[in-house]
Amino acid sequence: MASAQLPETHVDVLIIGAGPAGLMAAAWMAHCGVKARIIDKRNSKIFCGQADGLQCRSLEIFDSLGFADRVWKEANHMLENPGPDGTIRRSDRIPDTIPGLSRFQQVVLHQGRIERFFLDNIKKHSKDSIKVERGVLPESLKIDESKVNDDAAFPVTVRLRHLTEEEATPPQQASASKVPHGLFRSNLVQENDEEKLLKQSESRAGQDEIVHAKYVIGCDGARSWTRQALGFELQGEATDFIWGVMDVIPITNFPDIRMRCAIHSAESGSLMVIPRENKLVRLYIQLKEVVPDASGRADRSKITPELIFGAAQKILSPYKLDYEYCDWWTAYQIGQRVGTNFSAHDRVFLAGDAVHTHSPKAGQGMNVSMQDCYNLGWKVALAAKGVVKRTVLNTYESERRRVAQDLIEFDHRFSRLFSGRPAKDLLDTEGISMEEFKDAFEKGNLFASGLSIDYGSSVLEAKSSADGVDDATQVASLVQSKQSLATGLPIGMRFNSFKVLNQADARPWHFQERLPADGRFRIVLFAGDILSPAQKARVDAFCTALDKPTSFLRRATPASATIDSVVEVLTIHSSPRTETELLRDFPEILHPYDEHTGWDYGKVFVDADSYHEGFGDAYKNYGVDKVRGCVVAVRPDQYVGWVGDLEDFGELERYFEGILVMQ
Amino acid sequence: MASAQLPETHVDVLIIGAGPAGLMAAAWMAHCGVKARIIDKRNSKIFCGQADGLQCRSLEIFDSLGFADRVWKEANHMLENPGPDGTIRRSDRIPDTIPGLSRFQQVVLHQGRIERFFLDNIKKHSKDSIKVERGVLPESLKIDESKVNDDAAFPVTVRLRHLTEEEATPPQQASASKVPHGLFRSNLVQENDEEKLLKQSESRAGQDEIVHAKYVIGCDGARSWTRQALGFELQGEATDFIWGVMDVIPITNFPDIRMRCAIHSAESGSLMVIPRENKLVRLYIQLKEVVPDASGRADRSKITPELIFGAAQKILSPYKLDYEYCDWWTAYQIGQRVGTNFSAHDRVFLAGDAVHTHSPKAGQGMNVSMQDCYNLGWKVALAAKGVVKRTVLNTYESERRRVAQDLIEFDHRFSRLFSGRPAKDLLDTEGISMEEFKDAFEKGNLFASGLSIDYGSSVLEAKSSADGVDDATQVASLVQSKQSLATGLPIGMRFNSFKVLNQADARPWHFQERLPADGRFRIVLFAGDILSPAQKARVDAFCTALDKPTSFLRRATPASATIDSVVEVLTIHSSPRTETELLRDFPEILHPYDEHTGWDYGKVFVDADSYHEGFGDAYKNYGVDKVRGCVVAVRPDQYVGWVGDLEDFGELERYFEGILVMQ
């Protein structure tokens, strides 16, 4: 059938793949009001198994979208690891999340629930306009290179095929297997099924359509069709280690079954225990019986739940281990790979497993994949809306490639420690000592929290120092920051959260709660001691500059929109709360007036003690001077972009001029 | 039409009225798995206005049902009151909730959202079997007195009429009024509309049905049809004070508009400001212009939003006050009344406004009404299921009548303070001094929290003291308690909440979270220092008694049910967590074994420091000896019923024998 006869539609953003990464991208589109479609070749959601660990940072992100509370309530909370074990003695106990790192701790909840929360959230915020279209497969993708730099163009053309119910059913669900398994998605399976599916549906006419998109985001997994269509590759190696995974309700006398722990047996391999919701426990089990062949591939027909569980029983002996109920199982071969390219012309992007694969044990996969799209989604959304310049888009690859590389290095170290045998004694250098293991575990906890990410210098990250001493590579043309004014808010890292009180009603807020994912940049004005006349004069001068008709804030805001629609200004001051008055002491730009609803009471906060929830001590924790304050620019994804003095309005303006399309 | 021809059905519990009280009753039926119906003559839910304040205790109750988080997230939080004001100077600031009183603080959210949360919760827990039947009106109610003491009987017969859509539409929604108002539900309206509705629908045949119920709960408001059908009355008086209520988005320069505060003008009357969600503020406004006539009734045709708002502007002058958006308004005449009877034969019960009416300003109405049914619901549910003896049912009236009386006394005092004029000077004894007002406000906060309720001695409350010195009225035949063993858990009051850690996975829990509203009684075993051999022996002896085939626990539990289905045993010990082992140190009855799912890891807790959420110091806060512990019996609604020593198994058994039906 010729394309000319096919139905053709236009959409700002087409998302291929509706796993956690694709759903995160769709969530941004919904929250930013961008016209988007999201397709998936499978006709069913995930109901069990798959990824499960959730980092602190992922919970912070869920909170910015509005559903962290649902996750926190349902999830199993991971509080403590008995350290690794040689002969099944407890060697140590350590907290699973480093205390004080985040207002959330690592939790475990299966992917199906996360996807449900995303779907509900996307439905609500897109007012039902973005729905996952299941059983829809991409057939071809073409980029019109002559138009990639044209802001108004739809340079990507994708041909889509609509499958029948039967075609879209994943193989395992069509099989007679009683316990769901994930082997069909495991990396033990090489072949992709797009070609087969297309062939099957060839004979039926009228199933195709042509979509013209401004942007396409490929979140279609480790065997990404999008990646292949772009001609890009994953680079890296598989190892000889094969692991099985089982989600069971264990019947056991092993005392630490409700703790996350690692068991190293002397000869039978290793086992990792991850307690989960609804009495379930996930077991990661090293399969010493299955060895890859000369081509490096394992015979997956040998892998059964019986084989996997038998291995677990051996490792845990002399403790007894049994189960009646198994929720899901799979197996995988450890390997680490990173994509050669993350985008084509900043028009088609790859995210999640499509650009990095690794072993699941460290609980990173779903998190890093979602975070790829938490980084990418707002950039694409705001570029599609004409709010940010297209140059912002290439920060996606520079920022996320480094994270992917760090991730596979972490995974490589972590997997070797887990799969290696324990050292017999101090002289046994080939074995893994328990000290080495514990050390890696603890360091891993920081990496695994997702909070150590530090994005490099770019148009979004003004890391050039105007402090004079910090940075010898200072380049005059770059926007200058003064990191020393807010030592607790490192430029490139996420805006940490401490409690502050609303000036108008004294309600305590974790400050991160005031940074929701709505696509807005933010200026956080640490106003300092507003009751000091000298400081008040500095604040007034800053606000006067901001409020001018020619300021970047006014120029970046469409005439018809409210003044806080592109960049929102939030204030935290340090004067005594009961001696300050919102309307008397703070310039209007900090609490804008609306003729229909009056003053805005939601933007000015105070660093003060609360009645019921303690003292956040925000100025101290953010490393900001309580009298003189400072100004911080924050990205829509909560990363700190710029820090400066109240007098550095010019640098702040240059920062935003580099990012925002001015009217 | 003769009854013989009408359809007849049987139901365990029929609830009349689907406001917050009726929905609370229905929630208990859903959580306890009781067959119930709930009807309401109105065809629409509440979308704005009505009650709004939520006490700490109501939030604890919502948490026991599973939706406090939804309320907490959406509600406006009330943190501080600038004290009352004479000439609109701030006279003082006080916290709205006494710090440390509860893990929740008072919040404000309109009734419509609360009803939505209830409906979702009832739907989920009843598996869709309990739904509000709207446009259904009771026509007649008959109790067969010969069967009221027969556990298996359905002695209450109610004839129901199904209305048309038009008939069931409340008058204000049918009118042309642009702003919704609540006058049709106000106490300024005397007449009930049941009769009119029945007459209207008379001509249509086939709209009636006969329902045979074990129990009926009338939650049909201040003009309760059920109360009238039983021939009961409300007793009390109306006052001359008329107040208006408006929910608006205020445009004002009054600085404390986002604080709950009271403004006493010298001559123009009083105003109360209650900040709410979505920028709304509720204003309670004294209407000096409207005066009741000789019969004590006000002319409601005079009352308009313009009149009410004009009064508010006068009171707040010289501050400016305006609005563009009004969400809802109403007016009411202050009065306090209590029902003559709360139940007929412990088969038909009245709850909420049907047995107590008062002014809305103190934010008590919805709370006390819901709490009536939180007290009543489980008793009716468990009686209908044959779990508790019918004698338990008469504790409803004895417990809630006192609360109703306290409430109207509180309201009387509170209303007088609000409606009176401020004292001009120290010699002006007719006026209200600001000191008197502040004092009442602070004392009121404790009462208003809902946490000062202390139920009197009954089959459920073993208040007779075996401590020897505490209680001179000791009667030997009553079950003996030892209050001195748990001074922080007063018998008759709700089980306060402190954080403890799960022994198996170290997760911190507010202990109240382990007391969900599922209809189970609980024994909380404070096991003390379980690692001390002497104490271990005491715990073992207690558990052996509990585990015997002839123990009350076994006799109260149906043969087919799990051992924790009627009375659940929870343990809190005080030994170091990492030195204790669930399976090694605690008798099996404390963590029952199930052949399908293994040991129960959810019942044993430890009073220890947590990694991320501090130290609950539960033994200290509960006033329990850390070595010797004690035993506490807890009702399904979280009230403490009995306290004793580990050796007082006999008294504990007598306590439960007085309540539970033994198999």
Side-chain angles (χ1 to χ4, degrees):
Chain A
M1 195 193 289
S3 297
Q5 296 166 278
L6 295 177
E8 301 201 15
T9 52
H10 285 72
V11 68
D12 286 348
V13 181
L14 174 68
I15 301 160
I16 300 172
L23 291 170
M24 178 67 83
W28 268 121
M29 302 311 144
H31 284 251
C32 294
V34 169
K35 203 178 147 196
R37 289 176 65 181
I38 173 166
I39 61 168
D40 199 287
K41 65 179 173 178
R42 303 271 172 235
N43 65 357
S44 64
K45 293 191 298 289
I46 304 269
F47 291 107
C48 54
Q50 305 293 351
D52 57 359
L54 290 168
Q55 305 175 344
C56 308
R57 179 59 190 154
S58 294
L59 286 160
E60 294 183 357
I61 288 171
F62 292 162
D63 192 51
S64 77
L65 294 166
F67 62 81
D69 52 335
R70 295 186 70 182
V71 177
W72 193 250
K73 188 173 177 178
E74 253 184 54
N76 194 48
H77 293 217
M78 298 180 49
L79 279 318
E80 189 176 63
N81 297 313
D85 224 43
T87 59
I88 322 222
R89 276 169 292 111
R90 240 183 239 117
S91 57
D92 212 337
R93 292 176 189 256
I94 57 174
D96 202 73
T97 305
I98 301 162
L101 206 55
S102 166
R103 63 203 160 106
F104 296 105
Q105 292 99 48
Q106 240 189 114
V107 301
V108 181
L109 185 65
H110 76 78
Q111 189 173 332
R113 290 304 292 163
I114 304 298
E115 295 186 5
R116 164 51 45 208
F117 300 152
F118 265 115
L119 292 170
D120 290 350
N121 189 266
I122 292 165
K123 181 184 162 87
K124 179 178 161 191
H125 285 273
S126 74
K127 298 186 179 67
D128 253 345
S129 75
I130 305 178
K131 287 175 191 163
V132 175
E133 301 168 45
R134 297 193 185 275
V136 179
L137 192 69
E139 264 193 271
S140 66
L141 182 150
K142 231 189 95 218
I143 306 175
D144 182 345
E145 293 187 21
S146 70
K147 293 186 183 157
V148 293
N149 292 319
D150 174 359
D151 277 1
F154 289 77
V156 194
T157 304
V158 183
R159 182 170 168 149
L160 299 181
R161 171 79 55 102
H162 293 255
L163 301 177
T164 63
E165 189 68 17
E166 194 192 355
E167 287 160 1
T169 301
Q172 69 114 354
Q173 284 174 271
S175 86
S177 163
K178 264 184 284 185
V179 175
H181 66 83
L183 278 186
F184 72 99
R185 295 183 70 166
S186 158
N187 65 353
L188 295 175
V189 175
Q190 291 306 296
E191 60 279 17
N192 220 337
D193 59 354
E194 266 85 358
E195 210 169 320
K196 190 173 128 233
L197 289 170
L198 287 176
K199 209 167 278 173
Q200 275 177 3
S201 62
E202 229 168 31
S203 54
R204 293 177 298 106
Q207 307 304 313
D208 276 23
E209 66 166 310
I210 300 289
V211 176
H212 299 281
K214 285 184 179 170
Y215 297 97
V216 170
I217 304 178
C219 306
D220 43 355
R223 298 190 292 278
S224 171
W225 175 91
T226 313
R227 187 183 68 230
Q228 289 167 29
L230 294 172
F232 300 154
E233 283 179 9
L234 286 180
Q235 289 179 332
E237 297 261 317
T239 70
D240 283 353
F241 299 120
I242 312 246
W243 285 68
V245 188
M246 288 185 85
D247 288 345
V248 299
I249 297 181
I251 304 179
T252 182
N253 57 354
F254 178 66
D256 289 333
I257 195 71
R258 295 303 305 170
M259 301 275 184
R260 177 173 162 221
C261 58
I263 298 119
H264 282 230
S265 72
E267 298 295 339
S268 309
S270 296
L271 172 72
M272 189 153 158
V273 174
I274 315 253
R276 298 186 44 175
E277 70 282 5
N278 295 330
K279 301 190 171 187
L280 286 168
V281 170
R282 169 161 293 188
L283 302 173
Y284 286 101
I285 305 138
Q286 192 175 4
L287 300 181
K288 293 217 145 185
E289 285 85 351
V290 189
V291 180
D293 62 18
S295 76
R297 288 287 140 199
D299 178 0
R300 65 184 151 112
S301 71
K302 281 191 189 158
I303 298 171
T304 63
E306 291 72 28
L307 176 103
I308 299 173
F309 203 76
Q313 287 172 317
K314 243 194 228 173
I315 295 166
L316 209 61
S317 167
Y319 290 106
K320 278 176 204 149
L321 177 67
D322 227 319
Y323 73 91
E324 286 210 357
Y325 177 73
C326 175
D327 201 52
W328 182 81
W329 66 275
T330 191
Y332 62 91
Q333 187 166 7
I334 290 179
Q336 291 89 17
R337 293 183 172 82
V338 178
T340 50
N341 303 66
F342 282 50
S343 110
H345 306 288
D346 286 334
R347 286 290 183 175
V348 181
F349 299 89
L350 299 172
D353 290 352
V355 276
H356 44 74
T357 68
H358 47 89
S359 55
K361 261 193 318 298
Q364 294 298 297
M366 178 163 66
N367 295 282
V368 176
S369 293
M370 288 190 299
Q371 286 167 31
D372 282 347
C373 283
Y374 195 67
N375 179 292
L376 174 64
W378 65 270
K379 296 173 184 173
V380 170
L382 297 186
K385 287 173 81 173
V387 171
V388 300
K389 298 178 176 175
R390 274 186 37 80
T391 46
V392 165
L393 292 168
N394 62 39
T395 62
Y396 169 62
E397 176 152 351
S398 64
E399 293 181 341
R400 297 307 296 180
R401 171 184 290 284
R402 215 178 93 187
V403 172
Q405 274 159 346
D406 288 351
L407 168 65
I408 64 163
E409 264 167 52
F410 168 77
D411 184 54
H412 186 76
R413 278 199 314 277
F414 209 68
S415 293
R416 190 188 72 86
L417 287 170
F418 266 98
S419 301
R421 67 168 172 76
K424 286 171 191 143
D425 52 43
L426 282 174
L427 298 175
D428 177 6
T429 52
E430 265 186 38
I432 315 287
S433 79
M434 285 304 106
E435 287 66 37
E436 186 181 357
F437 192 88
K438 187 187 167 190
D439 183 55
F441 219 89
E442 286 184 325
K443 282 195 191 128
N445 273 351
L446 176 59
F447 179 83
S449 70
L451 298 174
S452 59
I453 286 174
D454 184 0
Y455 292 141
S457 192
S458 74
V459 64
L460 292 173
E461 295 298 340
K463 291 195 145 186
S464 281
S465 172
D467 292 333
V469 286
D470 293 310
D471 189 344
T473 65
Q474 204 178 108
V475 178
S477 70
L478 293 180
V479 176
Q480 305 290 304
S481 271
K482 288 179 182 163
Q483 181 67 71
S484 61
L485 298 179
T487 51
L489 289 167
I491 297 161
M493 298 184 79
R494 76 92 165 79
F495 202 110
N496 200 356
S497 194
F498 300 99
K499 282 196 179 169
V500 293
L501 308 191
N502 182 299
Q503 172 66 28
D505 64 15
R507 176 172 177 176
W509 291 91
H510 248 294
F511 192 67
Q512 246 181 23
E513 296 178 280
R514 305 319 293 159
L515 309 173
D518 53 17
R520 291 190 287 181
F521 284 81
R522 289 189 176 83
I523 295 169
V524 179
L525 170 60
F526 285 88
D529 180 9
I530 192 80
L531 293 181
S532 135
Q535 180 65 9
K536 175 80 163 74
R538 297 180 71 216
V539 170
D540 286 346
F542 178 80
C543 290
T544 302
L546 209 54
D547 211 357
K548 269 196 193 147
T550 55
S551 83
F552 72 90
L553 180 61
R554 300 257 171 222
R555 282 182 290 134
T557 309
S560 60
T562 58
I563 190 64
D564 62 356
S565 57
V566 173
V567 182
E568 183 184 29
V569 183
L570 298 175
T571 304
I572 306 174
H573 75 89
S574 67
S575 296
R577 179 175 62 83
T578 55
E579 291 168 31
T580 38
E581 295 276 358
L582 181 67
L583 303 187
R584 185 192 67 197
D585 299 325
F586 296 87
E588 177 168 335
I589 192 83
L590 304 181
H591 53 93
Y593 184 82
D594 176 283
E595 55 179 323
H596 306 296
T597 62
W599 302 106
D600 190 328
Y601 295 97
K603 295 196 197 299
V604 176
F605 300 86
V606 52
D607 182 21
D609 204 3
S610 71
Y611 284 117
H612 308 284
E613 302 179 27
F615 179 33
D617 215 352
Y619 269 71
K620 192 177 156 205
N621 282 309
Y622 288 131
V624 175
D625 185 274
K626 285 209 177 195
V627 174
R628 295 184 50 86
C630 70
V631 181
V632 179
V634 189
R635 303 164 23 157
D637 56 0
Q638 303 181 331
Y639 284 79
V640 176
W642 179 88
V643 175
D645 250 323
L646 274 68
E647 286 73 20
D648 297 330
F649 187 83
E651 289 301 307
L652 179 64
E653 187 149 61
R654 285 178 66 209
Y655 172 77
F656 277 112
E657 282 172 347
I659 296 166
L660 299 174
V661 175
M662 295 295 163
Q663 306 290 317
Chain B
M1 195 193 287
S3 296
Q5 295 167 277
L6 296 176
E8 302 200 17
T9 51
H10 285 72
V11 68
D12 285 347
V13 180
L14 174 68
I15 300 160
I16 300 174
L23 291 170
M24 178 67 84
W28 267 121
M29 302 311 144
H31 284 252
C32 294
V34 169
K35 202 179 148 198
R37 288 176 66 180
I38 173 167
I39 62 168
D40 199 288
K41 64 179 173 180
R42 305 271 172 234
N43 65 356
S44 64
K45 294 192 297 290
I46 304 270
F47 291 107
C48 53
Q50 306 292 352
D52 57 359
L54 291 168
Q55 305 175 343
C56 308
R57 179 59 189 154
S58 293
L59 286 160
E60 293 183 0
I61 288 171
F62 292 163
D63 192 52
S64 78
L65 293 165
F67 62 82
D69 51 337
R70 295 185 71 182
V71 178
W72 193 248
K73 187 174 177 178
E74 253 183 54
N76 194 47
H77 293 216
M78 299 180 47
L79 279 316
E80 189 177 62
N81 297 313
D85 222 45
T87 58
I88 322 219
R89 273 170 294 112
R90 240 182 239 116
S91 58
D92 213 337
R93 293 176 188 256
I94 57 173
D96 202 74
T97 305
I98 300 162
L101 206 56
S102 165
R103 63 203 161 106
F104 295 105
Q105 291 100 46
Q106 239 189 117
V107 300
V108 181
L109 185 65
H110 77 77
Q111 188 172 331
R113 291 304 293 162
I114 304 299
E115 294 186 4
R116 164 51 46 209
F117 301 152
F118 265 115
L119 293 170
D120 290 350
N121 190 266
I122 291 165
K123 182 184 160 87
K124 178 178 161 191
H125 286 272
S126 74
K127 297 184 182 69
D128 253 344
S129 75
I130 304 179
K131 285 175 195 166
V132 176
E133 301 168 46
R134 298 195 184 274
V136 179
L137 192 69
E139 265 193 88
S140 66
L141 182 150
K142 232 190 97 220
I143 306 175
D144 182 345
E145 293 187 22
S146 71
K147 292 184 182 159
V148 292
N149 291 319
D150 174 358
D151 278 359
F154 291 75
V156 193
T157 304
V158 182
R159 182 170 168 150
L160 299 181
R161 171 78 55 100
H162 293 255
L163 301 178
T164 63
E165 189 70 16
E166 195 192 354
E167 287 159 2
T169 301
Q172 67 114 355
Q173 283 172 275
S175 86
S177 163
K178 265 185 282 185
V179 176
H181 67 85
L183 279 186
F184 71 100
R185 294 183 71 166
S186 158
N187 65 353
L188 296 175
V189 176
Q190 290 307 296
E191 60 280 16
N192 221 336
D193 60 351
E194 266 86 358
E195 210 169 319
K196 189 174 129 233
L197 288 170
L198 287 176
K199 208 167 280 174
Q200 274 178 4
S201 63
E202 229 170 31
S203 55
R204 293 177 297 107
Q207 306 305 313
D208 276 24
E209 67 167 311
I210 301 289
V211 176
H212 300 281
K214 284 184 178 169
Y215 297 96
V216 170
I217 303 179
C219 306
D220 42 357
R223 300 191 291 277
S224 171
W225 175 91
T226 314
R227 186 184 68 229
Q228 290 167 28
L230 294 171
F232 299 155
E233 283 177 12
L234 287 181
Q235 288 179 332
E237 297 262 318
T239 69
D240 284 352
F241 300 120
I242 313 249
W243 284 68
V245 188
M246 288 185 85
D247 287 347
V248 299
I249 297 182
I251 304 180
T252 182
N253 57 353
F254 179 65
D256 289 333
I257 196 70
R258 297 302 306 169
M259 301 276 185
R260 177 173 162 220
C261 57
I263 297 120
H264 281 230
S265 72
E267 299 295 337
S268 310
S270 296
L271 171 72
M272 190 153 156
V273 174
I274 315 254
R276 298 184 45 174
E277 71 281 5
N278 294 331
K279 302 189 168 185
L280 286 169
V281 169
R282 168 161 293 188
L283 302 174
Y284 286 102
I285 305 141
Q286 192 175 2
L287 300 181
K288 292 216 146 187
E289 285 85 350
V290 190
V291 180
D293 61 20
S295 77
R297 285 288 142 198
D299 178 0
R300 63 185 153 112
S301 70
K302 281 192 190 156
I303 297 171
T304 63
E306 291 72 29
L307 177 102
I308 299 173
F309 203 74
Q313 286 172 319
K314 244 193 229 173
I315 297 166
L316 208 61
S317 170
Y319 289 105
K320 279 176 204 148
L321 177 68
D322 226 321
Y323 72 90
E324 287 211 356
Y325 178 73
C326 175
D327 201 53
W328 183 80
W329 66 274
T330 191
Y332 62 91
Q333 186 167 9
I334 291 179
Q336 290 90 18
R337 293 181 171 83
V338 178
T340 50
N341 303 67
F342 281 51
S343 109
H345 306 288
D346 286 335
R347 285 292 182 174
V348 181
F349 298 88
L350 298 173
D353 291 351
V355 276
H356 43 74
T357 67
H358 46 88
S359 55
K361 261 192 319 296
Q364 293 299 297
M366 180 164 65
N367 295 282
V368 176
S369 294
M370 288 190 299
Q371 287 167 30
D372 282 347
C373 283
Y374 195 67
N375 180 292
L376 174 63
W378 65 270
K379 295 173 185 173
V380 170
L382 297 187
K385 288 172 81 172
V387 171
V388 300
K389 299 179 177 175
R390 273 187 36 81
T391 47
V392 166
L393 292 169
N394 61 39
T395 62
Y396 169 63
E397 176 154 349
S398 64
E399 292 181 340
R400 297 308 294 181
R401 171 185 288 285
R402 215 177 93 187
V403 172
Q405 275 157 346
D406 289 349
L407 168 64
I408 64 162
E409 264 167 54
F410 168 76
D411 184 54
H412 187 74
R413 275 199 316 277
F414 209 68
S415 294
R416 191 187 71 85
L417 287 171
F418 267 99
S419 302
R421 67 169 171 75
K424 287 171 190 141
D425 51 45
L426 282 174
L427 299 175
D428 178 8
T429 51
E430 264 185 37
I432 316 287
S433 77
M434 286 305 105
E435 288 66 38
E436 185 182 356
F437 192 89
K438 188 187 167 190
D439 183 55
F441 219 90
E442 285 184 328
K443 281 195 191 127
N445 274 351
L446 175 60
F447 179 83
S449 71
L451 299 174
S452 59
I453 286 173
D454 184 359
Y455 292 141
S457 193
S458 74
V459 64
L460 292 172
E461 294 299 338
K463 290 194 145 187
S464 282
S465 174
D467 293 332
V469 285
D470 292 312
D471 190 344
T473 64
Q474 206 178 107
V475 179
S477 69
L478 293 178
V479 176
Q480 306 289 305
S481 271
K482 290 178 181 165
Q483 182 66 71
S484 62
L485 298 179
T487 52
L489 289 167
I491 298 160
M493 298 184 80
R494 74 95 167 75
F495 203 110
N496 200 356
S497 193
F498 300 99
K499 281 196 178 168
V500 294
L501 309 190
N502 181 299
Q503 172 67 27
D505 64 15
R507 175 172 177 176
W509 291 92
H510 247 294
F511 191 67
Q512 244 181 25
E513 296 178 281
R514 306 319 294 158
L515 310 173
D518 53 17
R520 291 189 286 182
F521 283 81
R522 289 187 174 84
I523 295 169
V524 180
L525 170 60
F526 285 87
D529 180 10
I530 192 79
L531 295 182
S532 133
Q535 179 66 8
K536 176 81 163 76
R538 297 180 71 216
V539 170
D540 286 347
F542 178 80
C543 290
T544 302
L546 208 54
D547 211 358
K548 267 196 194 146
T550 56
S551 83
F552 71 91
L553 179 62
R554 300 257 171 221
R555 283 182 291 133
T557 309
S560 60
T562 57
I563 189 64
D564 61 357
S565 58
V566 174
V567 182
E568 183 185 29
V569 184
L570 299 175
T571 303
I572 306 175
H573 75 88
S574 67
S575 296
R577 179 174 61 84
T578 55
E579 289 168 32
T580 38
E581 295 276 359
L582 181 67
L583 304 186
R584 185 193 66 197
D585 298 326
F586 296 87
E588 176 168 336
I589 192 81
L590 304 181
H591 52 92
Y593 183 83
D594 176 284
E595 56 179 320
H596 307 295
T597 62
W599 303 104
D600 190 328
Y601 295 97
K603 296 197 197 299
V604 176
F605 301 87
V606 53
D607 182 20
D609 203 3
S610 72
Y611 284 116
H612 308 284
E613 303 180 26
F615 179 33
D617 215 353
Y619 268 72
K620 193 178 156 205
N621 281 309
Y622 288 131
V624 175
D625 185 274
K626 285 208 176 195
V627 174
R628 295 183 51 84
C630 70
V631 182
V632 179
V634 190
R635 302 163 25 155
D637 55 1
Q638 302 182 331
Y639 283 79
V640 176
W642 178 88
V643 176
D645 250 324
L646 276 66
E647 286 73 20
D648 296 330
F649 186 83
E651 289 301 306
L652 180 64
E653 187 149 60
R654 284 178 65 210
Y655 172 78
F656 278 112
E657 283 172 346
I659 297 166
L660 299 175
V661 175
M662 296 294 164
Q663 307 289 317

